Amino acid sequence: MKSFIKYLYSKCLQILLFPFCLFPIQKNRLAFTGLTGGKGYDYSCNPRYLSDYIREQEKDTFEIYWMVTDPKQYRDKEEKDLHFVKHFTLRSFYYLLTAKVIITNGSYAPWFPFRKKQYLINTWHGGGAYKKIENDKPDANWATRKRAEFCAKNIQLIVSSCQAASDRLFRRAFLYHGEILKCGMPRNDFLVCGNTEQADQKVRQTYQIDRKYRILLYAPTYRSNGKNQMPDFTGLRKVLEENGEKWYVLYRAHRYSEDDSAGLDPECSADVTDYPDVQELLAAADMLITDYSSCIWDYSFLYRPCFLYTPDLREYLAKTGFYVDIHEWPFPICENMEDLEKQIRSFDEEKNRARIMEHHQQMGSYESGHACEAVCSWIKQKSICEENV
């Protein structure tokens, strides 16, 4: 029913927003949206990294408008070429329908009736090809598929992280047959290039983490019941500190999940769910524990220890499933705490790097460290340069 309402909603919008189509499209106007979960639209994810790059490299060339849930929190960032507009208002509709290029990580694309002379770029919000999306699940209904078809027709370019994503996710699940830019994700450029120092400092300053501590990040994905099966962080820290090191735990819940951070020890851990940039958390983390989250793709380019804590693997396989068999992922699968502690103790850095490199090859990685540059060039061709041609 929910998918049918969304499909019907998009059809109604085509009629209601028609008056906005009388306004001319501005060739140097870019509109950005970043969906962060639920009803949250923030200055975030791939669109944010691309927006920052464009402003730095193409100064005074474009006027940029961001559609966000709370524009007030970004007032200190506004400049003559950067503006924040409240999401889902008449003003936001005006800028969305008069921008030459719209950049999104998935939001608006499935339901908003963009104009034929506009270009919609979907950077998506996950790398690799891991857990299946709604349209590819066994219980996907007619309305879900129709919404996917509408979305595919709305998009002029998809930015892909790897061949597996292009083939199994975008071509098959998205039903998309248009142009794919094979450059990797903008948000991963600094991770691929190894430029993590600034992000590490920023995270440590935010949570006042002393340099004597190494950082463990736990970042699980969403489950349909909204609940995670948390690891025993006290036990984990004991294992990690057997060699004399000190460890600090950061917990980042998925935006759709319930807040289950009450058991964290405030002396050596912090809830970082509200931190605005997960890439910076990954850059700061010396170790990642997750489950089925696509953040393993991003983190893999740092070649650091990562472990999959999956006590509900059988249930997740039955309800959701994967594009690539989880046993082909480069990181150890741990279905209980005993497995997790064992894998941490036996971690081998050389074997870890070899497995990751093999995985990148098997997935057909496009990550180049120059994704922002590639997408920016495409935008310039379709906006400013197109007028000259």
Side-chain angles (χ1 to χ4, degrees):
M1 178 60 71
K2 184 178 180 180
S3 296
F4 177 75
I5 292 173
K6 286 184 177 180
Y7 174 71
L8 186 63
Y9 183 59
S10 66
K11 290 297 181 182
C12 293
L13 273 179
Q14 286 179 303
I15 300 172
L16 294 173
L17 297 180
F18 178 77
F20 286 97
C21 295
L22 300 176
F23 293 98
I25 293 172
Q26 303 298 316
K27 66 179 182 179
N28 66 331
R29 180 173 294 165
L30 307 180
F32 286 79
T33 71
L35 181 63
T36 53
K39 298 180 180 180
Y41 288 79
D42 293 315
Y43 177 54
S44 63
C45 196
N46 286 309
R48 175 179 179 171
Y49 279 87
L50 183 57
S51 172
D52 290 347
Y53 178 88
I54 291 173
R55 293 187 64 241
E56 180 182 337
Q57 299 296 321
E58 302 293 333
K59 194 170 182 63
D60 299 326
T61 302
F62 298 100
E63 55 179 47
I64 294 174
Y65 290 86
W66 269 87
M67 314 308 143
V68 295
T69 302
D70 182 14
K72 293 179 182 178
Q73 73 179 99
Y74 302 112
R75 291 301 179 220
D76 62 327
K77 298 182 182 296
E78 287 195 319
E79 296 183 21
K80 65 177 183 178
D81 63 338
L82 179 63
H83 312 274
F84 294 90
V85 181
K86 186 167 179 59
H87 155 68
F88 206 72
T89 59
L90 290 178
R91 187 164 176 253
S92 72
F93 294 157
Y94 168 76
Y95 288 115
L96 284 166
L97 288 169
T98 57
K100 185 64 178 179
V101 182
I102 302 94
I103 299 94
T104 174
N105 63 351
S107 58
Y108 280 90
W111 53 269
F112 196 82
F114 291 103
R115 300 161 72 175
K116 290 183 179 180
K117 291 186 178 181
Q118 292 182 292
Y119 294 100
L120 177 63
I121 300 175
N122 188 348
T123 67
W124 198 228
H125 52 266
Y130 301 112
K131 62 180 184 288
K132 289 186 176 181
I133 64 169
E134 185 180 4
N135 192 46
D136 245 2
K137 294 178 182 178
D139 59 350
N141 55 34
W142 170 86
T144 299
R145 190 169 184 82
K146 278 293 182 183
R147 191 157 58 95
E149 290 174 357
F150 177 85
C151 179
K153 291 177 181 178
N154 240 353
I155 298 169
Q156 282 70 48
L157 181 74
I158 284 183
V159 178
S160 180
S161 61
C162 64
Q163 188 68 44
S166 298
D167 295 341
R168 306 180 195 187
L169 181 60
F170 302 133
R171 294 298 189 207
R172 190 177 78 188
F174 273 55
L175 311 175
Y176 176 73
H177 303 291
E179 183 180 357
I180 292 178
L181 192 59
K182 303 175 181 180
C183 62
M185 296 195 300
R187 72 185 191 191
N188 281 347
D189 280 353
F190 83 106
L191 297 178
V192 174
C193 294
N195 300 326
T196 59
E197 177 84 19
Q198 186 175 353
D200 179 42
Q201 290 180 358
K202 187 177 176 182
V203 171
R204 287 180 179 274
Q205 288 174 2
T206 301
Y207 297 102
Q208 298 182 346
I209 304 172
D210 193 281
R211 281 285 172 187
K212 70 180 180 182
Y213 287 100
R214 303 194 76 193
I215 294 176
L216 165 64
L217 174 63
Y218 174 56
T221 193
Y222 167 70
R223 284 154 173 78
S224 56
N225 61 9
K227 296 181 179 180
N228 300 310
Q229 297 187 42
M230 302 274 280
D232 173 12
F233 292 121
T234 301
L236 277 180
R237 287 184 60 249
K238 287 181 180 179
V239 172
L240 290 168
E241 294 179 355
E242 286 175 349
N243 61 358
E245 294 177 338
K246 293 291 184 181
W247 283 80
Y248 198 95
V249 176
L250 300 181
Y251 168 51
R252 184 179 181 87
H254 191 280
R255 291 297 182 100
Y256 292 141
S257 299
E258 295 179 4
D259 183 4
D260 46 9
S261 61
L264 294 177
D265 184 346
E267 294 295 320
C268 53
S269 58
D271 183 350
V272 296
T273 302
D274 292 331
Y275 192 81
D277 191 347
V278 69
Q279 304 307 105
E280 292 179 351
L281 295 175
L282 294 174
D286 296 290
M287 178 182 292
L288 172 67
I289 295 178
T290 182
D291 40 30
Y292 321 111
S293 171
S294 65
C295 70
I296 66 167
W297 176 261
D298 310 56
Y299 195 71
S300 70
F301 291 93
L302 297 175
Y303 297 96
R304 298 172 185 172
C306 177
F307 303 92
L308 309 178
Y309 183 62
T310 61
D312 60 344
L313 178 57
R314 293 183 183 180
E315 180 184 354
Y316 199 89
L317 277 169
K319 289 186 176 181
T320 304
F322 309 111
Y323 291 108
V324 174
D325 189 330
I326 191 171
H327 299 92
E328 296 178 15
W329 302 5
F331 303 117
I333 301 169
C334 311
E335 297 193 46
N336 52 57
M337 281 301 300
E338 184 180 352
D339 286 347
L340 181 57
E341 292 174 3
K342 180 180 177 181
Q343 289 293 343
I344 289 174
R345 286 192 174 102
S346 62
F347 175 76
D348 185 299
E349 186 173 350
E350 289 187 11
K351 289 182 179 179
N352 178 64
R353 176 173 284 271
R355 285 196 303 265
I356 291 173
M357 292 177 68
E358 182 181 3
H359 183 66
H360 290 167
Q361 187 174 12
Q362 289 175 341
M363 297 286 278
S365 173
Y366 300 149
E367 298 288 353
S368 61
H370 300 284
C372 287
E373 180 183 351
V375 181
C376 181
S377 295
W378 193 95
I379 291 172
K380 287 169 65 179
Q381 289 178 351
K382 297 299 181 180
S383 55
I384 305 298
C385 298
E386 184 185 75
E387 298 298 323
N388 297 328
V389 174

